[in-house]
Amino acid sequence: MPSLTVSRITKSFTTGKTVKTVLSDVSFDVPEGETLCLLGPNGSGKTTLLKIVSSLLIPDAGSVAIDGRDVLADILGTKRTLGFGSSEDHSFYGRLTVEQNLRFYSDLHGLSRADRERRMGEMADILEIGAILKTPFRELSSGQKQRLLIVRALLHDPRIVLLDEPTQNLDPNFSARLREYLTSLSRPPRPKTFLISTHHLDDAQKFSDRWVILSKGSVRFSGSVSTELRRNPGMTVDDLFRKSTEAVVPC
Amino acid sequence: MLMKTLLAFFRRDMTVQLSYKFAFAFDVFSVFFSAATFYFVAKLFGQAAIPALQRYGGNYFAFVLIGIAFATYQNVGLNSFSQSLRQEQFLNTLEPLFLTPVSLPKFLVGAGLWDFFYATLEVVLYLSLGFLLFGLRLPQANLPAAGMILLLTLVAFMGLGVLAAAFILRFKRGNPVTWTVATVSELLGGVYFPTDILPPWLHSLSVLVPMNHALLGLRKSLLLGAGWSDVGPHALALTVFSVVLWPVGIAAFSLALKRARKDGSLGHY
């Protein structure tokens, strides 16, 4: 059974008398332990889709299910299962230290002190937050804030992790280490499922072979990149992305 | 888990508040100046105000100090949740909060906990300054009765605050609940003068104001040493307010939250 199933999601926003359709009939699934990259140019609906998957937004039509269970039917259960690293890198309390911020969120997730320290200890080395634990959040660099977003998303050991532009503001070396770490988390015995949005082809290629390319709110490509390239000799990932995101001219 | 969640909010808000070094000092000065101002107003009235205050022991300073001290709870109740919500929206922390498995009632109570504690410190400060500097004495105070009225007051005002927060979540600014309750309570709440001096038709409306019942109950128990039978009607009124306001507030907040999750305005401010 797929871990995460997105079925026929449609979402519009209304501003005054203008209705803008942001997502239209989007469907895909991500089996347990797999990583799926959500690609698309800015404004293609990636972040909106992640917010719908996380239950922060309610779709106009369609549904999202985890292990076959609708995320909106058990919102508190969904929140325990999901971790969401948004691209909003200021979403912490500036006057609290990194440690105080993480303690606050771990308490809200119901982690015991031992669990919190174990989780933070694990990630402190890998995501290089050990040295900044006592630093007020407002004094962090953009890269450090970005790392903290990822730590918060993983803190309660969720089975499904949504990451919106996770390598934004990170240097190439750290991005590589992050990819390596996330890959290690998708392996048994407790394989995590990742849905990662990015608009960087390089990043996406390194994260996963399975892509969903969105353009103007619709799925333009869904599947294995390597299979697609094999099927179309001479085609590059750039070609695939360009072809998928080109404006569709109505006949 | 409930205590852990509430403590997490409390610790967060306390740490943030204490990081503003001068804020507490300014609050202490504000309380002092407010208490001093009414001490001199009471001196100015002298004996003139006593006839209208006979029911409350005849001392205007004691009457008004209890009024302004405990009115703090109404201000906190009306503003705490909505300000906390706006602050979370401003900091972009509202969405991460709603991604944690914290139920709505826990979130709402947690968000206002520190402010109510801080308001209690202010009330203690008002009364302490009154005792130490301005000759306030409450020899007959019935503290258990006052404590019960205070508890019911907190719960009722929190209910009002939840309703006010629902409007903030939906409309961002312009809060009819806060405006209406604050404005009506100025006149009918009995903070500065006993509502008995109002024209009968206006006085009868004061029955509908939670602040009026809170202050009547507190003044009767603290100034006159009134027992359960005297403060009972006010306790009952505050209970009715809570029983009505909490479910209405939670329902309104749930609706506002659902709407925000539909139109994507959860983090907007």
Side-chain angles (χ1 to χ4, degrees), chain B residues 30-48:
Chain B
S30 297
V31 169
F32 170 77
F33 278 101
S34 176
T37 302
F38 282 101
Y39 172 74
F40 290 110
V41 170
K43 255 187 127 173
L44 176 70
F45 281 141
Q47 301 299 310

Side-chain angles (χ1 to χ4, degrees), chain B residues 236-250:
Chain B
L236 181 67
L238 289 168
T239 306
V240 170
F241 282 122
S242 299
V243 167
V244 172
L245 288 170
W246 267 97
V248 170
I250 294 272

Side-chain angles (χ1 to χ4, degrees), chain B residues 73-132:
Chain B
Y73 285 118
Q74 178 179 276
N75 296 335
V76 170
L78 285 175
N79 297 305
S80 171
F81 300 118
S82 40
Q83 278 177 2
S84 169
L85 202 63
R86 276 189 67 75
Q87 182 74 355
E88 302 284 3
Q89 287 172 323
F90 184 70
L91 292 173
N92 288 319
T93 47
L94 190 62
E95 288 188 350
L97 262 186
F98 279 123
L99 285 167
T100 62
V102 174
S103 65
L104 204 51
K106 271 195 235 171
F107 166 74
L108 289 167
V109 173
L113 208 55
W114 165 256
D115 285 340
F116 276 96
F117 175 79
Y118 197 76
T120 304
L121 290 182
E122 274 194 27
V123 169
V124 169
L125 190 61
Y126 265 115
L127 297 180
S128 304
L129 289 175
F131 271 101
L132 296 172

Side-chain angles (χ1 to χ4, degrees), chain A residues 227-242:
Chain A
T227 307
E228 186 67 12
L229 297 186
R230 267 200 304 276
R231 210 180 283 152
N232 298 283
M235 183 189 248
T236 64
V237 285
D238 288 319
D239 297 333
L240 173 64
F241 186 75
R242 201 175 310 117

Side-chain angles (χ1 to χ4, degrees), chain A residues 11-13 51 54-60 72 75-77 79-80 82 84 86 88 90-96 100 103-113 116 138 152 156, chain B residues 1 4-13 15-17 19-21 87-88 91-104 107 257-266:
Chain A
K11 183 72 193 169
S12 304
F13 292 116
K51 286 187 177 182
S54 70
S55 80
L56 278 176
L57 271 178
I58 298 174
D60 299 338
L72 296 178
I75 289 188
L76 292 187
K79 290 170 179 177
R80 286 189 195 98
L82 269 168
F84 184 17
S86 71
E88 186 49 73
H90 293 288
S91 59
F92 286 88
Y93 302 98
R95 301 190 78 87
L96 300 189
Q100 287 165 337
R103 181 176 180 184
F104 174 65
Y105 287 106
S106 72
D107 283 347
L108 297 193
H109 276 289
L111 263 66
S112 66
R113 185 179 175 171
R116 181 182 73 237
R138 64 178 188 273
R152 180 172 62 189
H156 57 294
Chain B
M1 180 65 189
K4 187 171 199 150
T5 304
L6 297 183
L7 263 176
F9 278 106
F10 186 84
R11 196 183 302 113
R12 177 200 67 177
D13 293 338
T15 311
V16 170
Q17 175 89 17
S19 74
Y20 292 98
K21 304 253 184 281
Q87 182 74 355
E88 302 284 3
L91 292 173
N92 288 319
T93 47
L94 190 62
E95 288 188 350
L97 262 186
F98 279 123
L99 285 167
T100 62
V102 174
S103 65
L104 204 51
F107 166 74
L257 183 60
K258 191 170 181 184
R259 182 69 186 256
R261 286 167 62 221
K262 272 188 176 171
D263 63 20
S265 64
L266 195 57

Side-chain angles (χ1 to χ4, degrees), chain B residues 48-223:
Chain B
I50 288 179
L53 293 169
Q54 279 310 320
R55 275 184 67 189
Y56 307 96
N59 180 332
Y60 182 69
F61 179 67
F63 174 91
V64 80
L65 194 73
I66 287 174
I68 53 173
F70 288 96
T72 312
Y73 285 118
Q74 178 179 276
N75 296 335
V76 170
L78 285 175
N79 297 305
S80 171
F81 300 118
S82 40
Q83 278 177 2
S84 169
L85 202 63
R86 276 189 67 75
Q87 182 74 355
E88 302 284 3
Q89 287 172 323
F90 184 70
L91 292 173
N92 288 319
T93 47
L94 190 62
E95 288 188 350
L97 262 186
F98 279 123
L99 285 167
T100 62
V102 174
S103 65
L104 204 51
K106 271 195 235 171
F107 166 74
L108 289 167
V109 173
L113 208 55
W114 165 256
D115 285 340
F116 276 96
F117 175 79
Y118 197 76
T120 304
L121 290 182
E122 274 194 27
V123 169
V124 169
L125 190 61
Y126 265 115
L127 297 180
S128 304
L129 289 175
F131 271 101
L132 296 172
L133 303 178
F134 303 115
L136 175 72
R137 294 294 177 266
L138 305 171
Q140 294 174 292
N142 179 347
L143 293 178
M148 181 191 67
I149 292 289
L150 180 59
L151 191 68
L152 292 170
T153 301
L154 293 181
V155 176
F157 286 159
M158 276 183 168
L160 271 175
V162 172
L163 194 58
F167 277 92
I168 286 292
L169 190 59
R170 180 70 195 99
F171 301 107
K172 314 304 173 195
R173 280 191 187 190
N175 190 331
V177 177
T178 303
W179 185 87
T180 306
V181 176
T183 308
V184 169
S185 295
E186 281 281 307
L187 183 63
L188 304 180
V191 177
Y192 305 108
F193 54 84
T195 50
D196 320 52
I197 65 168
L198 293 167
W201 67 272
L202 207 51
H203 180 238
S204 60
L205 287 179
S206 67
V207 176
L208 302 171
V209 179
M211 173 84 96
N212 186 42
H213 289 284
L215 292 182
L216 278 172
L218 286 163
R219 282 177 178 138
K220 282 180 182 175
S221 54
L222 290 174
L223 297 176

Side-chain angles (χ1 to χ4, degrees), chain A residues 35-39 146 150 163-180 182-183 196-211 237-238:
Chain A
T35 297
L36 184 130
C37 282
L38 201 55
L39 280 103
Q146 181 66 22
I150 296 163
L163 296 174
D164 195 3
E165 308 282 355
T167 56
Q168 173 176 264
N169 300 320
L170 298 180
D171 63 63
N173 283 341
F174 190 83
S175 296
R177 286 176 59 186
L178 175 67
R179 280 192 298 270
E180 208 173 287
L182 297 182
T183 306
I196 296 174
S197 102
T198 179
H199 59 270
H200 296 295
L201 296 182
D202 252 19
D203 252 5
Q205 268 186 288
K206 288 167 186 164
F207 270 121
S208 176
D209 182 49
R210 277 207 65 203
W211 290 10
V237 285
D238 288 319

